[in-house]
């Protein structure tokens, strides 16, 4: 059975090394627990092009969660 490569992607920074710290001291998700979370399956085709399965569904859920918590929701373009 082959191994699966894992990547860490951070909004506004893109893909970062898995060992690179990505949390800052003023992160309200860390200090107060504010945040919305979702995970997505990413598929890479034979040409190396990656895509998120059901991306619009994921973005809809994140927008609804952010609205419920009254926290800023990045635009769809920022997510993409």
């Amino acid at each position: 059975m082959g191994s699966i490569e894992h990547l860490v992607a951070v909004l506004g920074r893109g893909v970062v090394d898995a060992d690179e710290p990505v949390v800052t001291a003023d992160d309200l998700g860390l200090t107060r627990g504010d945040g919305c979370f979702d995970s997505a399956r990413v598929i890479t085709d034979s040409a190396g092009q990656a895509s998120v399965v059901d991306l619009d569904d994921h973005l809809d859920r994140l927008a609804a969660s952010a609205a419920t918590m009254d926290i800023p929701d990045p635009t769809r373009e920022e997510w993409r």
Side-chain angles (χ1 to χ4, degrees), residues 12 22 25 30 34 39 42 47 56 59-60 69 73:
V22 295
L30 177 67
D34 291 357
S39 60
V42 177
D56 287 327
L59 296 179
D60 289 343
M69 296 183 68
D73 178 32

Side-chain angles (χ1 to χ4, degrees), residues 6-30:
H6 291 87
L7 300 173
V8 176
V10 178
L11 186 63
R13 290 174 55 189
V15 176
V16 298
D17 186 273
D19 295 326
E20 181 179 338
V22 295
V23 178
T24 60
D26 62 349
D27 184 324
L28 294 180
L30 177 67

Side-chain angles (χ1 to χ4, degrees), residues 56-71:
D56 287 327
D57 292 337
H58 290 285
L59 296 179
D60 289 343
R61 281 192 296 276
L62 285 168
S65 294
T68 298
M69 296 183 68
D70 196 26
I71 60 176

Side-chain angles (χ1 to χ4, degrees), residues 42-60:
V42 177
I43 302 220
T44 305
D45 64 21
S46 59
Q49 181 67 38
S51 62
V52 177
V53 176
D54 299 324
L55 177 60
D56 287 327
D57 292 337
H58 290 285
L59 296 179
D60 289 343

